[in-house]
Amino acid sequence: QVQLVESGGGLVQAGGSLRLSCAASERSLRLYSMGWFRQAPGKGRVFVAGISRSNGIHGVADAVKGRFAVSRDDAKSTVYLQMNSLKPEDTAVYYCAGRPGESFHVDTRQYDYWGQGTQVTVSS
């Protein structure tokens, strides 16, 4: 079993930046592909960014392309989501997810492990 804990959320003005962290406890992150998802009030949980195990192949959703970047540090068992040029529409609870497969997925159903989420609020 993998336990994931997100951190780094908070309140930021439009145009600002935040870096979210997802720390995995009691397991090495090396064999897991990871994803970031977000859920705005009244809406479903949607894909934001993902990164595959070992080779680091990554991708981001169109809505955040050019602004967000995902990375991983397996030695620290941590995945990051760098968020730049934040917009009010980025406001959501952000979740970290993991799956023991070779590639990340855009579908929430493909992930076995989830963190508790961290709130990101972007003011106008």
Side-chain angles (χ1 to χ4, degrees):
Q1 298 295 313
V2 177
Q3 296 173 308
L4 304 173
V5 180
E6 304 95 334
S7 62
L11 176 64
V12 64
Q13 292 182 321
S17 298
L18 286 173
R19 188 176 76 159
L20 305 184
S21 297
C22 172
S25 62
E26 300 183 355
R27 298 286 296 272
S28 173
L29 204 59
R30 180 178 297 275
L31 298 180
Y32 294 83
S33 294
M34 306 296 294
W36 285 98
F37 295 79
R38 67 186 182 186
Q39 187 166 16
K43 299 183 179 180
R45 192 171 301 182
V46 298
F47 174 80
V48 176
I51 185 164
S52 297
R53 69 184 184 188
S54 187
N55 58 24
I57 295 174
H58 60 275
V60 299
D62 288 343
V64 303
K65 185 178 181 180
R67 300 188 297 116
F68 290 13
V70 62
S71 62
R72 64 191 296 159
D73 187 340
D74 290 337
K76 297 180 179 179
S77 296
T78 302
V79 178
Y80 304 96
L81 182 67
Q82 179 66 48
M83 306 186 295
N84 299 323
S85 302
L86 283 162
K87 305 175 181 179
E89 50 262 47
D90 295 319
T91 296
V93 177
Y94 283 72
Y95 297 90
C96 176
R99 64 185 303 271
E102 62 181 332
S103 300
F104 69 87
H105 246 282
V106 301
D107 189 345
T108 59
R109 294 171 295 182
Q110 297 298 319
Y111 291 85
D112 299 308
Y113 308 106
W114 292 86
Q116 83 290 343
T118 185
Q119 176 71 48
V120 172
T121 302
V122 184
S123 62
S124 301

